[in-house]
Amino acid sequence: MINIEHVYKKFPGVVALDDVSIRIKKNEIVCLIGPSGSGKSTLLRSINGLEAIDQGKIYFDDELINADNEEQMCRIRTKMGFVFQHFNLFPHLTVMQNLTLGPTEVLGMSEEDAKKEGLRLLERVGLKDKADQYVNKLSGGQKQRVAIVRALCMKPEVMLFDEPTSALDPEMVKEVLDVMRGLAEENMTMVIVTHEMNFAKEVASRIVFMDGGKIVEENTPEEFFREPKEERTKLFLSKVL
Amino acid sequence: MWETIVRIFAPENILFMLRGMRISIVVAVCATVMGILLGIVGAVCKMSRSKALRVLGNVYVEFIRGTPMLLQLSFFYLGIPMLYQMITGKYLEVNPLFMGILAIGINSGAYSCELIRSSINAIDKGQWEAGMSIGLTRSKILKKIILPQSFKRIIPPLTSEFITLIKDSSLVSTIGVVDLMKSSNILGARYYNYFFPMIGAALIYLVLTLTISKFTGQLERKLAESD
Ligand SMILES: Nc1ncnc2c1ncn2[C@@H]1O[C@H](COP(=O)(O)OP(=O)(O)O)[C@@H](O)[C@H]1O
Ligand SMILES: [Mg+2]
């Protein structure tokens, strides 16, 4: 579904992605882990065309992605949901308006259908009663659940998560992870950047460990956590576990 | 002296100045509105991905801000008819009020452009990215997400731009528009006393600007509350 081939991305003074290749298959859940600054966000953002890569190729459903082609990016992004660390909800809109903006403006759905679908998904994440509130009134955990629903309203084929729980108070992490577990049960294809090792162990079909812009090691969660092969992986795991 | 004051501020003369005030307000309001529209266009140009549009936007802003408004005003009133005459050989009758509004509006547009642009830039870039991630085009993101949020930040500086224009609109008196400034000059000439008409005009300008800034203060508090 997503095919990444020899991707390089440089920022002034730092190589964020250094010859990264990875394939993500349909219904797979890939958890990207690694130290801060290792290029996880850059990789995820490149898949969504939020970052233009310098070299290499990224295919989505066999279509070569060009981040500078707005028409193409808009079309492809409707098939990819993106969840940001800092939610990035639209503060001038109510929860429901946050949800219906994409479906009505991009998918051409009627206001009524979009609302119905929004309400159905809100109910699933336990936020039906917040539909008409402005998002600034919500807690962090509630915001992130709304952000996930906003992405789901576009009926994406794959969901990309960039540290969805890192900006949350500890007591709110579970409510967000539970929503993601629900998606996992429905076999949603997901790429998740996370520091929640237990969660990764539980839901991932594959763990990908990055360091210094490179993919250092990838494996099934069982193998990965039981016997990591690379020194850098061992070092990282000894710090976080 | 008391007699002079009574004669100068006779009801018909006060009415005359108030009519001048009305013209000043018309010029300021029209120029502000025009400035906002031009400012939006200018800001969109300057932030466009097209180099040509960015250059165009820059030239407009730099040119207007780098030359005196009085020169721009004279250019519209005298220069443009002259250009027309040189090209076609025909005389062009222009309305000073119309040309005054046009010149000041274009001038204000360059300043509004920068105000609008900086308030757009002040919006978190995550808002753009969130808009992109749900498949919106850049222009839709601007319209549906960015501009509605920058609106709040633009209002206070735009009202002070309006206050500036209430005062700067007095420049149209130099091209024969009978605004508040000009009306006080006319009364001054009629009664051989410029002092009292000027004090009168100054007081009216002051009332106008103070009223607007009081109103602005209230509006700002309201906007701040809704955060
Ligand atoms: N917009 C940017 N401008 C400059 N450097 C950046 C930018 N984004 C990321 N980087 C750099 O690229 C490297 C990888 O960053 P990132 O992908 O955010 O890492 P991670 O998400 O794994 O913490 C870091 O060294 C970071 O400082
Ligand atoms: Mg990151």
Side-chain angles (χ1 to χ4, degrees):
Chain A
M1 169 169 260
I2 299 172
N3 198 357
I4 297 168
E5 294 178 358
H6 304 293
V7 165
Y8 290 83
K9 169 73 187 177
K10 243 182 96 172
F11 288 112
V14 53
V15 178
L17 296 178
D18 189 359
D19 192 18
V20 171
S21 298
I22 177 178
R23 248 170 204 280
I24 291 141
K25 294 190 280 300
K26 194 163 164 43
N27 301 334
E28 210 181 6
I29 298 175
V30 173
C31 284
L32 272 179
I33 65 173
S36 159
S38 57
K40 307 178 299 293
S41 297
T42 307
L43 180 59
L44 207 63
R45 292 163 55 80
S46 304
I47 296 174
N48 205 27
L50 296 174
E51 224 59 87
I53 56 176
D54 299 328
Q55 272 181 59
K57 293 188 165 73
I58 299 178
Y59 296 91
F60 181 82
D61 283 344
D62 296 326
E63 184 176 352
L64 182 65
I65 286 181
N66 171 8
D68 295 324
N69 180 341
E70 181 174 39
E71 186 275 324
Q72 183 206 31
M73 281 324 309
C74 286
R75 182 164 43 79
I76 290 186
R77 283 190 189 119
T78 62
K79 299 182 198 163
M80 296 194 261
F82 199 106
V83 177
F84 301 87
Q85 184 176 351
H86 296 287
F87 332 125
N88 295 348
L89 292 172
F90 308 130
H92 62 302
L93 301 177
T94 63
V95 168
M96 186 48 81
Q97 288 168 334
N98 266 270
L99 303 186
T100 56
L101 185 64
T104 55
E105 291 291 327
V106 182
L107 302 180
M109 226 190 246
S110 76
E111 192 75 41
E112 206 189 341
D113 289 349
K115 267 192 187 151
K116 222 186 273 168
E117 179 64 9
L119 221 47
R120 186 182 73 81
L121 288 167
L122 270 186
E123 186 161 25
R124 260 191 47 182
V125 304
L127 292 174
K128 197 178 176 190
D129 55 322
K130 306 286 183 198
D132 296 319
Q133 286 199 9
Y134 280 92
V135 294
N136 283 341
K137 299 267 188 305
L138 305 179
S139 73
Q142 292 171 333
K143 281 182 186 164
Q144 196 59 298
R145 283 185 279 162
V146 170
I148 294 173
V149 170
R150 176 176 68 182
L152 290 176
C153 279
M154 299 299 291
K155 304 212 179 356
E157 294 169 21
V158 50
M159 288 285 285
L160 310 174
F161 293 85
D162 191 0
E163 300 197 27
T165 59
S166 295
L168 299 180
D169 292 336
E171 73 271 19
M172 294 174 180
V173 170
K174 185 174 177 295
E175 62 194 59
V176 171
L177 293 183
D178 281 344
V179 170
M180 295 168 67
R181 281 189 187 99
L183 292 174
E185 274 161 27
E186 292 171 17
N187 290 321
M188 172 65 86
T189 313
M190 297 197 266
V191 184
I192 305 169
V193 176
T194 185
H195 292 300
E196 300 287 333
M197 292 304 147
N198 289 324
F199 174 74
K201 205 183 285 186
E202 173 195 335
V203 303
S205 8
R206 195 156 38 121
I207 306 274
V208 173
F209 174 68
M210 287 183 73
D211 194 11
K214 286 183 191 298
I215 293 181
V216 175
E217 180 169 354
E218 51 181 307
N219 215 332
T220 59
E222 297 77 27
E223 294 293 316
F224 182 87
F225 287 106
R226 192 159 41 101
E227 41 184 326
K229 294 189 189 66
E230 303 291 329
E231 275 313 308
R232 279 195 280 179
T233 318
K234 287 178 194 160
L235 189 67
F236 175 74
L237 287 179
S238 72
K239 277 185 196 150
V240 296
L241 287 181
Chain B
M1 183 170 95
W2 182 244
E3 217 171 89
T4 325
I5 296 177
V6 170
R7 267 198 307 141
I8 290 177
F9 293 114
E12 70 266 24
N13 289 345
I14 289 181
L15 210 63
F16 180 62
M17 287 185 91
L18 289 180
R19 274 202 296 273
M21 175 188 87
R22 206 174 58 187
I23 294 292
S24 293
I25 294 175
V26 166
V27 172
V29 169
C30 293
T32 304
V33 171
M34 196 177 139
I36 292 172
L37 296 178
L38 277 175
I40 293 175
V41 173
V44 169
C45 280
K46 284 190 79 161
M47 297 191 312
S48 155
R49 276 175 304 177
S50 142
K51 178 119 197 264
L53 285 180
R54 284 203 306 272
V55 169
L56 194 74
N58 275 325
V59 167
Y60 167 54
V61 170
E62 297 309 325
F63 200 89
I64 294 295
R65 297 204 307 178
T67 56
M69 184 144 139
L70 186 55
L71 189 152
Q72 293 160 19
L73 194 64
S74 309
F75 179 81
F76 272 83
Y77 185 61
L78 302 171
I80 287 183
M82 180 61 77
L83 183 69
Y84 182 83
Q85 200 175 14
M86 286 188 299
I87 293 171
T88 65
K90 282 192 279 252
Y91 177 70
L92 178 70
E93 169 92 46
V94 293
N95 179 321
L97 179 61
F98 176 78
M99 280 309 197
I101 289 172
L102 198 62
I104 295 179
I106 288 174
N107 178 282
S108 170
Y111 291 91
S112 299
C113 172
E114 291 304 285
L115 298 177
I116 291 168
R117 203 170 61 99
S118 64
S119 69
I120 288 175
N121 283 340
I123 302 294
D124 178 24
K125 118 179 175 312
Q127 292 290 308
W128 283 96
E129 294 184 346
M132 282 153 76
S133 77
I134 53 172
L136 292 169
T137 57
R138 275 174 63 93
S139 57
K140 276 207 172 137
I141 296 172
L142 195 62
K143 210 169 78 190
K144 299 276 177 182
I145 298 170
I146 308 298
L147 285 180
Q149 291 183 62
S150 19
F151 185 71
K152 244 190 214 179
R153 298 166 193 266
I154 304 179
I155 292 299
L158 280 187
T159 43
S160 56
E161 173 67 11
F162 180 52
I163 291 175
T164 303
L165 287 188
I166 289 276
K167 295 178 289 176
D168 288 356
S169 67
S170 60
L171 287 173
V172 296
S173 64
T174 62
I175 60 170
V177 177
V178 185
D179 69 333
L180 178 54
M181 179 74 209
K182 185 75 179 176
S183 68
S184 82
N185 277 338
I186 291 173
L187 290 180
R190 189 181 299 161
Y191 294 98
Y192 304 108
N193 183 323
Y194 286 94
F195 182 80
F196 291 112
M198 275 182 189
I199 293 289
L203 287 177
I204 296 177
Y205 277 120
L206 201 60
V207 167
L208 285 179
T209 52
L210 287 180
T211 311
I212 298 166
S213 57
K214 183 149 187 285
F215 176 72
T216 314
Q218 283 172 354
L219 191 70
E220 263 172 70
R221 271 191 295 281
K222 271 236 181 69
L223 289 176
E225 268 170 28
S226 68
D227 265 332

